[in-house]
Amino acid sequence: MSTREFFEVEAKFAVADDTEVPDLTGVSGVEGVADTAVHELSAVYYDTGDLRLTRSRITLRRRTGGTDAGWHAKLPGDGGRRELHHDLTDDDADANTVPEPLIDPVRAIVRDLPLIPIARVDNERHESTLTDAGGTVCAEFCDDHVTAWSLLPGGDRTTWREWEIELSDDYAGTDAGAQLIESATELFGAAGADPSGSPSKLVAALGDSIDDAPRLPGVAELAPNSAEAGVLAALEHNYRRLLDYDPRVRGDEWDSVHQMRIATRELRSHLETFDGVMDGEIYRGTARGLRELASVLGVARDAEVVAERFRELTSDGEPEVMAPEAAAALVDSVHADYRDAHARVVEYLNSPDYLRLLGELEDLLADPPFRGDVGAKKNRGATDPAAEVLLDHLGRAYRKLLARHDHAMSVWEDPSVPLREREENIHRIRKAAKKLRYSAEAVGAATGLRTKHLYKACSRMQSVLGDFQDAVTSRDMLLAKAEQARAEGGADTFLHGLLYQREMSNGEQALAGYRKTMDSVVDAYSELDNQRRKARRKAEGKSGKSGKSGKKEGKRKH
């Protein structure tokens, strides 16, 4: 059996039973109707009991009849919909068992919940193939006579007629295709058709019965201007990003592992920043689950970065110095490492631990474990207890960054300290900058303080130190590959040594801009600290003196 993917671009129109189909060659770009056929289609749609797929604009069905019988999953996409097809089998169990290749892209949504029939749609389809001036198929026109049953409690039988025009693969996503759809809309409108008010046949089939289905947990409603509402908004944003990138990682889309890892790390950092505003063992267990997910994604991400660096490092070498065969073998070896690591990521994304983590995050958003002594306030401000907790976390994150910087710089040029230890000190600065950046973002969202300058300063520092760390990671991989080559038969490792020295130089160049970024972080935090004290004085009704405004962080230049 095979699973195939298509990109679907179509428009739907509601029409009365007695509406006549117009001359389809009146559509711009359509020169002929190649053939017309009538198909009897029958589809059963599946979802969880609380309609997680339907509410996410995803449909999953098993269709018989017509030219594309099989299992179909339709997912939202840019400018259209992704459509996955999976073949039917002769097995009787096929009618009740959704194929795994169609569940994987929606696993983060349905998790391990059972998928049950929710609707049946029968359709007498009059299908016409439309061609352009060159005889190329440009679109399909379907005149559908539909009878549907909602299988939800309180569901009913409905009938309707609709027209669909779907672009061919050659036209989907093109200007000519967009013009064709626009022209068809005008022609069909003149014939008495209206744009369909329902996004899919499934939604039309469910009708009002969808309102009686169990609701998803949703997100807790809090006082809109409270720090707690900001906390929840920050968590929800990255939770949605996690769900969004899950199917992309499974499909190995470019940069998806990186983006899912960022969302995971931000979520984990936010949970750490919000510790004290939220509480409980489940809360801390969720943070541990995010750490494990980030670790699994990190192995694949490191291999992905190194593979790209090796490709670039070997792309412009002199053949007499850098043998093409050896360079290709080295790059292929790291690509193989990435494929293995990606397979482990997908395995983890199907694990009970990961699915439980998603459930914990969903529950946390629906019923956030806020501490009673930091209850929601009606107005933002520095006197909000929750805001004070968040700002204290931010201050600690800043002081940790300063301490790590001081230690790293004090030994950076000391040859008595092993290079590995000195480089690890720099890596620890980067992790502290990342934590401060995420904390700044969360505090800004939760308190209304302007943290953008600090966030951007930390981001620039991360970029500089990230380039440095990528060079270090690449060198580590080169050492490992050289050792592997020797162990497998004493292969020439000259290339490994040559690239190792290049990466030493690349790391030094990256680190040259570090101190400037540190000064920017200090300036940005000082600016934020002043802003915080002013907000507190205003909230306390004072002027001209700070009162109990807390210790001022001193400005330093490095």
Side-chain angles (χ1 to χ4, degrees):
M1 289 189 298
S2 62
T3 302
R4 303 169 301 284
E5 181 170 342
F6 305 90
F7 185 63
E8 179 186 76
V9 180
E10 66 178 12
K12 296 175 180 287
F13 304 86
V15 291
D17 289 340
D18 58 353
T19 303
E20 293 186 7
V21 176
D23 179 2
L24 297 174
T25 60
V27 176
S28 175
V30 176
E31 293 293 327
V33 179
D35 58 71
T36 298
V38 178
H39 303 290
E40 296 294 335
L41 313 176
S42 183
V44 175
Y45 289 79
Y46 292 78
D47 204 342
T48 60
D50 52 8
L51 305 183
R52 289 170 177 259
L53 295 178
T54 305
R55 300 185 199 280
S56 299
R57 297 186 299 118
I58 296 170
T59 58
L60 179 62
R61 72 187 179 202
R62 183 184 187 274
R63 173 190 276 176
T64 56
T67 59
D68 64 346
W71 286 92
H72 305 156
K74 294 188 178 185
L75 302 93
D78 295 333
R81 287 165 67 83
R82 291 176 57 213
E83 186 167 351
L84 306 178
H85 288 197
H86 193 81
D87 295 336
L88 298 177
T89 70
D90 295 330
D91 187 353
D92 290 339
D94 177 82
N96 300 307
T97 305
V98 181
E100 287 295 324
L102 297 193
I103 296 180
D104 283 345
V106 297
R107 178 70 72 186
I109 298 174
V110 303
R111 300 204 291 272
D112 52 0
L113 297 174
L115 293 168
I116 60 175
I118 61 168
R120 175 182 165 185
V121 174
D122 290 351
N123 182 13
E124 180 184 292
R125 167 164 288 182
H126 299 248
E127 182 180 277
S128 300
T129 303
L130 311 183
T131 57
D132 60 19
T136 299
V137 174
C138 55
E140 270 186 357
F141 171 78
C142 298
D143 181 6
D144 291 338
H145 303 258
V146 184
T147 302
W149 296 263
S150 170
L151 304 180
L152 298 177
D156 204 352
R157 175 182 179 274
T158 53
T159 62
W160 70 91
R161 183 185 178 202
E162 70 180 29
W163 292 346
E164 290 183 6
I165 186 161
E166 179 177 346
L167 298 179
S168 67
D169 291 343
D170 290 332
Y171 273 69
T174 67
D175 291 340
Q179 185 177 355
L180 190 153
I181 291 287
E182 182 179 355
S183 175
T185 300
E186 294 178 359
L187 179 67
F188 297 164
D194 295 313
S196 176
S198 177
S200 67
K201 288 183 174 64
L202 171 60
V203 172
L206 294 179
D208 293 339
S209 67
I210 194 172
D211 298 328
D212 297 326
R215 304 292 300 181
L216 297 177
V219 179
E221 294 185 5
L222 302 171
N225 291 323
S226 67
E228 287 81 355
V231 165
L232 214 59
L235 292 174
E236 183 187 10
H237 172 70
N238 280 303
Y239 171 66
R240 301 299 175 198
R241 286 179 63 198
L242 194 69
L243 295 183
D244 181 44
Y245 278 102
D246 176 289
R248 303 185 190 192
V249 168
R250 294 173 188 270
D252 200 16
E253 291 186 21
W254 181 83
D255 203 43
S256 58
V257 170
H258 181 211
Q259 294 301 324
M260 188 176 187
R261 186 188 188 197
I262 289 175
T264 302
R265 284 181 161 182
E266 288 196 15
L267 266 172
R268 178 188 165 201
S269 181
H270 286 170
L271 289 181
E272 292 174 353
T273 301
F274 300 151
D275 192 5
V277 178
M278 294 183 175
D279 206 350
E281 183 54 36
I282 294 179
Y283 177 78
R284 281 179 277 277
T286 303
R288 289 192 293 272
L290 289 167
R291 183 187 304 119
E292 184 176 359
L293 173 59
S295 177
V296 174
L297 291 167
V299 175
R301 174 58 180 166
D302 286 348
E304 186 177 41
V305 168
V306 170
E308 180 60 22
R309 289 186 74 90
F310 282 9
R311 188 191 65 78
E312 293 178 356
L313 287 168
T314 59
S315 63
D316 59 351
E318 296 293 332
E320 59 271 18
V321 176
M322 193 179 298
E325 298 82 3
L330 179 60
V331 173
D332 289 345
S333 175
V334 185
H335 276 302
D337 292 342
Y338 170 75
R339 289 192 295 272
D340 290 343
H342 181 264
R344 288 192 292 273
V345 168
V346 174
E347 181 180 4
Y348 184 79
L349 295 184
N350 288 324
S351 71
D353 287 346
Y354 174 69
L355 300 181
R356 181 170 57 251
L357 171 64
L358 294 180
E360 290 172 352
L361 288 167
E362 183 179 79
D363 292 343
L364 186 149
L365 292 172
D367 186 18
F370 288 117
R371 285 176 45 181
D373 56 345
V374 288
K377 303 291 180 181
K378 292 184 178 179
N379 299 300
R380 292 183 180 183
T383 58
D384 186 330
E388 286 298 307
V389 171
L390 300 180
L391 287 165
D392 286 345
H393 276 289
L394 184 69
R396 284 198 292 273
Y398 175 69
R399 290 188 290 275
K400 178 179 285 189
L401 174 63
L402 294 183
R404 291 186 174 183
H405 165 83
D406 290 342
H407 174 67
M409 295 299 100
S410 69
V411 299
W412 178 245
E413 296 182 355
D414 185 352
S416 66
V417 178
L419 177 62
R420 169 64 60 202
E421 182 178 329
R422 284 180 279 154
E423 290 178 338
E424 181 58 29
N425 289 338
I426 300 296
H427 185 42
R428 293 175 71 239
I429 294 176
R430 180 186 177 220
K431 290 193 288 188
K434 188 178 299 182
K435 174 65 181 298
L436 180 58
R437 172 191 165 199
Y438 294 157
S439 294
E441 179 190 42
V443 167
T447 67
L449 291 173
R450 297 184 299 276
T451 61
K452 182 174 66 174
H453 288 171
L454 180 58
Y455 180 90
K456 288 186 174 181
C458 291
S459 182
R460 288 191 292 269
M461 177 182 285
Q462 274 185 253
S463 179
V464 168
L465 297 185
D467 290 343
F468 173 80
Q469 186 59 33
D470 286 348
V472 172
T473 302
S474 176
R475 282 172 29 222
D476 288 344
M477 183 65 75
L478 285 165
L479 288 176
K481 292 297 181 183
E483 182 63 30
Q484 180 181 342
R486 287 191 293 269
E488 291 177 352
D492 183 11
T493 58
F494 174 79
L495 174 63
H496 301 73
L498 176 64
L499 298 183
Y500 187 95
Q501 286 304 121
R502 286 191 179 182
E503 289 291 47
M504 281 290 293
S505 177
N506 289 337
E508 292 170 359
Q509 291 177 21
L511 203 57
Y514 163 66
R515 290 180 184 271
K516 184 177 180 179
T517 67
M518 187 66 202
D519 289 341
S520 295
V521 169
V522 172
D523 289 342
Y525 187 84
S526 179
E527 174 188 322
L528 178 61
D529 200 37
N530 288 333
Q531 183 190 156
R532 173 189 181 184
R533 291 197 306 277
K534 289 178 182 179
R536 177 177 290 167
R537 286 199 301 269
K538 182 177 180 180
E540 294 174 350
K542 297 181 179 180
S543 62
K545 58 182 181 178
S546 61
K548 297 179 181 179
S549 60
K551 181 180 177 181
K552 179 180 179 180
E553 299 285 351
K555 286 186 65 174
R556 318 192 306 176
K557 292 293 181 181
H558 301 276

